[in-house]
Amino acid sequence: MNKNKLWQLVFWLGPFFLTSGLTIGLISEKWGIIPLLLTILGLIICSLWIIIQSQQSKWWQKRSTQSGTNALVATLSVLVILGLINFLGIRYHLRLDLTDSQLFTLSPQSRELVSNLPETIKVWLFSKDQNLQDRELLDNYHRQSNKFKFEYIDPQLKPGIAEKFGVKDYGEVYLEFQNKRQLVQIINENERLSEIKLTNRLQQITSSTTAKVYFLQGHGEHPLTASKGAISQAIKALTDKNFTTSALNLAEQPQVPDDATVIVVAGPKKELLIGEVTALQNYLNRGGNLLLMIDPNTDPKIDTILKDWGIRLDNRLAIDTSGENLQLGPAAILVTEYGQHPITKDFAKNISVYPLTRSLEIDPVSGIESMALLKTKPYPNSWAESDQKSEKLEFNEGQDLKGPLTLGVALTRKLSNAIPTTLPTPIPTTSPTPIPTTSPIPIPTTSPIPIPTTSPIPIPTTSPIPIPTTSPIPIPTTSPTPIPTTSPTPIPTTSPIPTSINSQPTAKESRLVIFGNSNFAVDGLFEQQLNGDVFLNSVSWLSQQDQQLLSIRPKEPKNRRIVISTLQANWLTIIAVFVLPLIGLTTGFIIWWKRR
């Protein structure tokens, strides 16, 4: 063998070693001694070959060398670009969902919930087959956090795990968090894994508390069970978010229950009794939370509550002409302007609908913070109409109010600013006989005889002689006379805000949300656009629970299947198989005949 040919064969080992080293390192993802050694050896051999060729001949000046070098550089550039694209595609997920209901994109609430998981949570799917749609949804959850895990289990292959969860049939999906297990749903060919069900169960199983929401009844409010004008869908949505709901009749019960987290007054048609209004005031004054939804042309006589919070109900009807292009009446308000409040901060320019609503006016009150939640478009698109009986709705200067109008408000009052809900006279809780803090006999400010700090004679806790609770003679506040600290009779301390049985010591503030409409939460409209999110976020914010998420909920995919009869299906088959091809052939023949 010629010596030059032998060297050429040796130098061919350079590309071989280089390729082998890179392949081993990339596939195994471990750059150990062998792939590094092969790569370095290949680079050294290739470099030596280039140096020797350049010294023996004018190898770099040849046209073939230049063309080959350009081709090699271009090929390497393409490979590097493809590698970078794949690297970025693996590390960063950029997805474009063009479906109408964003079927393949997690909702803001789902993303926020999974991103803030306190511990690892796992989804168990007891199924033989892995549906692509379900797997894609679970992968979307997993991309938000590594704490979200899932696993498919065949109950026949692993009966021990199936028995631990109590699996009865194929398709059951369970959540496991800490020591808790909960059934999500049963999936099959017709019903796939639902984001809204999975997110609701995630929120339930990770929540440590259950809030109680009472709905005031007895004044024509919306029914809680399914019927005309009911809010049963809102009740179900609250239950899915781990709330407990119940009806409340203050005419039968003189005060708000101690376990009430939120009170909802949804569309009262009749007046509230004075005692009911007082009970709601007392509830707010001790740190309660109230949601008011007051329709136009109604007066529930709650002005005393609204005045304390600086809210006035406008009796005029809100008008919005921007919805007429969508075949909506001028009294159906489309809201796309939201306040930067936790309830509505994630709504952006999305739509919520409020048919027949009134506007609200806010007066500044010391100690109360307020923020508008919903606003209409500015005039001339919206205004508050005073003449509601006129067939032609138009703005009248001096009678109507120009937009933008405020349709919803959220208010906060610190508990220290609350008004006492009981009598100002303090009642000691440790003694059946009140011990007066003042005395009818004046005590001198100085005394030559020292008074001992302890007493060998116990002071009786009861007295046959009643002790007056008030004194016409005040006691000096700067008396040096020490007060016995070891008396067996406890001395009650006075406070400007007395302790009430219904007080909520954990509450730091009182909250109020009011809307000029209640129909946005009734069945049918509740699922439209962001209506349900407005209601649920309001209740969640009022509950003052940190773990409650205030964002846009996941939506159920819309059913767009076309239901046709057998005759219609046969006609479609005939048209697709025979008529359309015949039209194409006929058109082609006519064009050919004219050009012939």
Side-chain angles (χ1 to χ4, degrees):
M1 181 181 292
N2 193 357
K3 186 176 181 181
N4 292 331
K5 291 183 178 181
L6 180 63
W7 279 110
Q8 288 179 0
L9 292 175
V10 171
F11 284 123
W12 271 111
L13 293 175
F16 174 75
F17 288 153
L18 181 61
T19 305
S20 301
L22 292 175
T23 303
I24 294 173
L26 292 174
I27 292 177
S28 64
E29 296 183 355
K30 294 180 180 179
W31 293 92
I33 297 177
I34 295 177
L36 286 176
L37 184 62
L38 291 175
T39 303
I40 294 173
L41 186 61
L43 288 174
I44 292 173
I45 295 176
C46 291
S47 300
L48 289 175
W49 184 80
I50 293 173
I51 292 172
I52 293 173
Q53 288 294 328
S54 62
Q55 290 179 353
Q56 291 180 354
S57 62
K58 297 180 179 180
W59 182 71
W60 286 106
Q61 298 179 1
K62 292 182 180 180
R63 181 175 295 180
S64 60
T65 303
Q66 295 176 357
S67 301
T69 303
N70 291 334
L72 179 63
V73 171
T75 303
L76 291 176
S77 300
V78 171
L79 293 176
V80 170
I81 292 172
L82 291 176
L84 288 175
I85 292 174
N86 281 277
F87 171 77
L88 294 175
I90 294 173
R91 173 161 292 189
Y92 305 101
H93 302 282
L94 180 61
R95 300 161 55 85
L96 183 62
D97 190 354
L98 299 178
T99 58
D100 178 43
S101 58
Q102 299 294 293
L103 183 61
F104 302 103
T105 304
L106 291 182
S107 68
Q109 187 181 89
S110 300
R111 294 197 300 267
E112 185 178 352
L113 176 62
V114 178
S115 300
N116 298 319
L117 284 175
E119 297 180 21
T120 300
I121 192 168
K122 191 169 184 178
V123 180
W124 298 84
L125 300 97
F126 294 91
S127 176
K128 288 184 177 180
D129 303 322
Q130 298 186 18
N131 182 268
L132 293 178
Q133 181 178 335
D134 297 344
R135 182 63 185 259
E136 181 66 23
L137 177 61
L138 294 169
D139 285 334
N140 285 342
Y141 277 96
H142 179 69
R143 292 188 188 102
Q144 304 301 319
S145 174
N146 291 327
K147 294 181 179 179
F148 182 91
K149 301 182 182 300
F150 63 92
E151 183 177 352
Y152 279 88
I153 296 293
D154 189 341
Q156 292 185 350
L157 297 180
K158 296 183 179 180
I161 299 178
E163 184 179 357
K164 182 176 69 173
F165 284 86
V167 176
K168 299 179 180 178
D169 198 0
Y170 283 102
E172 294 185 10
V173 181
Y174 283 86
L175 272 176
E176 185 178 26
F177 178 72
Q178 296 176 346
N179 296 325
K180 296 183 288 186
R181 301 183 184 94
Q182 187 173 10
L183 176 67
V184 178
Q185 69 175 106
I186 300 176
I187 56 177
N188 50 51
E189 294 181 357
N190 299 322
E191 183 178 1
R192 304 316 312 171
L193 188 61
S194 168
E195 180 191 351
I196 188 169
K197 292 181 180 178
L198 182 55
T199 297
N200 287 336
R201 297 299 179 269
L202 278 171
Q203 190 167 0
Q204 287 181 6
I205 201 171
T206 55
S207 177
S208 58
T209 59
T210 301
K212 189 68 174 287
V213 180
Y214 283 93
F215 286 80
L216 189 66
Q217 296 289 285
H219 317 89
E221 291 89 353
H222 294 289
L224 305 185
T225 56
S227 60
K228 184 178 180 180
I231 53 175
S232 60
Q233 291 180 341
I235 299 295
K236 183 180 182 302
L238 286 174
T239 304
D240 291 339
K241 290 177 69 66
N242 213 30
F243 285 98
T244 303
T245 60
S246 181
L248 175 63
N249 193 329
L250 289 177
E252 300 174 352
Q253 188 173 350
Q255 62 183 10
V256 176
D258 298 341
D259 61 347
T261 305
V262 181
I263 301 295
V264 179
V265 183
K269 302 295 188 297
K270 301 177 182 178
E271 302 177 3
L272 273 67
L273 300 176
I274 297 177
E276 294 177 304
V277 176
T278 303
L280 292 177
Q281 280 184 298
N282 293 339
Y283 172 69
L284 287 172
N285 291 337
R286 66 174 187 260
N289 309 285
L290 183 62
L291 173 59
L292 297 174
M293 298 188 292
I294 311 300
D295 292 315
N297 301 320
T298 60
D299 186 10
K301 298 297 181 181
I302 56 173
D303 295 338
T304 53
I305 297 177
L306 301 178
K307 185 177 180 181
D308 291 341
W309 291 77
I311 299 295
R312 287 184 290 116
L313 298 175
D314 194 337
N315 293 323
R316 291 168 288 197
L317 182 67
I319 300 299
D320 186 359
T321 58
S322 60
E324 294 180 353
N325 296 331
L326 301 175
Q327 297 181 351
L328 296 175
I333 309 299
L334 294 179
V335 173
T336 57
E337 300 292 333
Y338 304 95
Q340 290 301 310
H341 189 272
I343 295 176
T344 54
K345 62 182 177 63
D346 293 331
F347 287 2
K349 291 292 183 180
N350 291 294
I351 299 173
S352 55
V353 185
Y354 305 88
L356 297 177
T357 182
R358 71 200 311 168
S359 62
L360 309 172
E361 298 182 18
I362 307 172
D363 296 326
V365 175
S366 177
I368 293 181
E369 298 178 1
S370 63
M371 179 176 290
L373 299 176
L374 314 171
K375 280 189 172 293
T376 65
K377 296 178 176 61
Y379 179 80
N381 287 327
S382 70
W383 69 89
E385 177 64 42
S386 58
D387 187 7
Q388 302 179 22
K389 296 182 180 180
S390 176
E391 295 182 359
K392 185 178 181 181
L393 298 175
E394 58 183 4
F395 179 79
N396 298 313
E397 192 70 38
Q399 298 179 2
D400 301 336
L401 179 65
K402 292 183 179 181
L405 306 174
T406 301
L407 306 182
V409 182
L411 306 101
T412 303
R413 180 174 64 188
K414 298 299 180 182
L415 193 57
S416 58
N417 296 327
I419 302 170
T421 60
T422 59
L423 293 175
T425 303
I427 301 174
T429 58
T430 59
S431 175
T433 304
I435 299 176
T437 57
T438 60
S439 173
I441 304 173
I443 300 175
T445 56
T446 60
S447 175
I449 303 174
I451 301 174
T453 58
T454 59
S455 176
I457 304 173
I459 300 173
T461 57
T462 59
S463 174
I465 303 173
I467 302 174
T469 57
T470 58
S471 173
I473 305 174
I475 299 175
T477 58
T478 59
S479 174
T481 304
I483 299 174
T485 58
T486 59
S487 173
T489 304
I491 301 174
T493 58
T494 59
S495 172
I497 302 177
T499 304
S500 174
I501 296 175
N502 298 324
S503 63
Q504 298 178 0
T506 58
K508 297 181 180 179
E509 60 187 18
S510 180
R511 294 180 177 180
L512 173 67
V513 174
I514 179 169
F515 295 105
N517 172 268
S518 66
N519 292 322
F520 76 95
V522 300
D523 295 350
L525 285 174
F526 181 81
E527 295 294 340
Q528 295 295 323
Q529 303 299 328
L530 296 183
N531 285 18
D533 298 291
V534 172
F535 177 82
L536 292 176
N537 285 5
S538 299
V539 176
S540 299
W541 179 75
L542 287 170
S543 68
Q544 302 190 38
Q545 298 184 80
D546 295 336
Q547 66 270 24
Q548 287 293 341
L549 301 179
L550 305 179
S551 188
I552 299 177
R553 301 171 300 141
K555 305 296 183 183
E556 289 284 6
K558 296 180 180 179
N559 184 6
R560 299 186 180 278
R561 289 177 292 183
I562 300 176
V563 180
I564 58 177
S565 63
T566 304
L567 180 62
Q568 292 172 331
N570 293 334
W571 273 111
L572 286 176
T573 303
I574 293 172
I575 292 173
V577 176
F578 299 104
V579 177
L580 292 180
L582 182 60
I583 292 174
L585 289 174
T586 304
T587 304
F589 178 77
I590 293 173
I591 294 174
W592 171 80
W593 183 263
K594 289 185 175 180
R595 292 181 176 179
R596 186 174 59 89

